[in-house]
Amino acid sequence: MEDEETAVVLKTVGRQIKAWREAAGLRRSELGSAIGYSEDLVASVEQGRRVPKPDFLDKADEVLNADGKLSAMKDDVEQARYPKNVRDLAKLEGDAVELGAYADHIMHGLLQTPAYARALYEMRRPVFDEEEVERHVAARVARQRILERPSPPVMTFVLEEVTLRRPIGGAAVLRQQLEHCLEVARLRHVELQIMPLNCVEHAGMSGPFWLAKLRNGKTLGHSEGQLYSRLFSDPKEVRLLEMRYGMIRAQALPPRESLDFIEKVLGDKR
């Protein structure tokens, strides 16, 4: 298990499934046959070693006559599927009134389409198995609900030109990704800017990061590297990131010109 919170949720769900199965007088193999899953998978779920899919819980609920009690666990299980660092970031983003992000070599996670995110996780080394890929893609897509919430934060993004041109996932995936960026950038609470390759002055050479201003007035920063994910809360460090982000935005193309730039790149790829 990646963290204690996930382990507790999965073990609790597993015990409940086992209790309902035994009350129904079914063996693991019989439950598996009835819901279309293997005996080994049923055992892994009951032992808290595997994350049950929503379909698993719904079918088990029906077969075991659990009256919705197992299906009701889907939301908790869905959250447990996501890596802890993703859950922590999602909580911070959910409490934000302003978000600003600079991405230097791939699309920012809040902008990625499922196909683009999948391509990124499939090329990871060491490789993820299919279940792990699905888990990470689902977590990335879930974070994007912030874009559609009733009172979303003001969001700004600065993307390097190379993120528009690198064909992650292939030409079709990239075209879809660029079209999605245009859709998001046209939302009233979002501004997207492009840093062109011919920009001589560039304050973002130290790498990608984001800033989140929370409802309580505090601002936090976040940065990811090869083997780390770091949250910045020290006021001096946060002010440094705020200064850099302001300079990056000033050096990048304005929002309207940036949309024109994306449309031109998209036109070149058709």
Side-chain angles (χ1 to χ4, degrees):
M1 286 299 93
E2 205 169 56
D3 61 87
E4 292 183 3
E5 184 180 346
T6 294
V8 169
V9 170
L10 296 186
K11 287 179 180 178
T12 300
V13 172
R15 284 196 296 267
Q16 287 294 312
I17 293 171
K18 181 179 180 180
W20 281 99
R21 175 181 61 77
E22 291 178 343
L26 296 178
R27 295 191 296 271
R28 286 171 175 166
S29 58
E30 293 172 324
L31 175 59
S33 296
I35 64 176
Y37 289 88
S38 69
E39 179 182 357
D40 286 344
L41 191 140
V42 172
S44 293
V45 169
E46 288 187 351
Q47 294 163 5
R49 294 186 289 108
R50 291 285 295 275
V51 181
K53 294 183 178 180
D55 176 71
F56 182 106
L57 293 172
D58 284 337
K59 289 181 176 178
D61 189 281
E62 181 180 355
V63 169
L64 299 175
N65 296 315
D67 297 322
K69 293 181 177 63
L70 295 180
S71 292
M73 296 179 175
K74 286 189 291 187
D75 288 343
D76 291 333
V77 171
E78 185 69 10
Q79 291 296 320
R81 290 184 66 207
Y82 306 151
K84 185 179 185 302
N85 66 321
V86 174
R87 296 201 307 271
D88 292 343
L89 284 180
K91 288 177 182 177
L92 287 175
E93 290 165 349
D95 193 40
V97 294
E98 292 181 25
L99 283 171
Y102 165 62
D104 63 350
H105 65 285
I106 60 173
M107 289 287 170
H108 189 270
L110 291 176
L111 298 174
Q112 292 174 12
T113 65
Y116 186 97
R118 170 176 287 279
L120 286 174
Y121 286 120
E122 286 180 341
M123 70 174 66
R124 181 188 181 276
R125 298 296 183 271
V127 298
F128 283 145
D129 60 30
E130 184 60 26
E131 183 176 347
E132 193 73 0
V133 169
E134 289 291 345
R135 182 183 181 215
H136 281 274
V137 172
R140 180 143 295 179
V141 172
R143 277 179 62 200
Q144 296 172 8
R145 292 172 190 158
I146 191 174
L147 291 164
E148 302 171 354
R149 78 184 195 194
S151 298
V154 174
M155 307 176 75
T156 61
F157 298 92
V158 180
L159 305 177
E160 288 289 339
E161 178 182 343
V162 68
T163 65
L164 310 180
R165 300 187 182 279
R166 180 172 288 123
I168 300 237
V173 170
L174 181 58
R175 281 196 302 272
Q176 182 188 47
Q177 177 63 65
L178 295 179
E179 290 168 352
H180 179 67
C181 281
L182 289 173
E183 291 177 9
V184 174
R186 292 185 179 115
L187 296 174
R188 294 176 61 191
H189 60 283
V190 176
E191 285 193 346
L192 191 153
Q193 294 177 253
I194 301 302
M195 180 71 79
L197 285 172
N198 61 6
C199 183
V200 177
E201 299 293 332
H202 196 328
M205 300 306 289
S206 296
F209 62 92
W210 68 236
L211 290 159
K213 177 178 278 189
L214 308 182
R215 290 188 179 93
N216 62 10
K218 187 173 184 178
T219 300
L220 300 175
H222 180 263
S223 179
E224 290 188 6
Q226 287 284 334
L227 299 173
Y228 72 87
S229 176
R230 183 184 174 193
L231 191 68
F232 298 89
S233 59
D234 181 87
K236 291 183 180 179
E237 294 179 324
V238 171
R239 282 197 296 272
L240 176 60
L241 291 178
E242 288 179 314
M243 178 194 69
R244 286 180 181 171
Y245 190 59
M247 293 178 66
I248 290 170
R249 292 199 68 194
Q251 293 162 347
L253 297 176
R256 180 63 260 178
E257 291 181 29
S258 294
L259 292 188
D260 292 340
F261 192 96
I262 296 173
E263 288 173 344
K264 182 180 184 304
V265 174
L266 184 58
D268 293 342
K269 295 184 179 301
R270 283 174 176 155

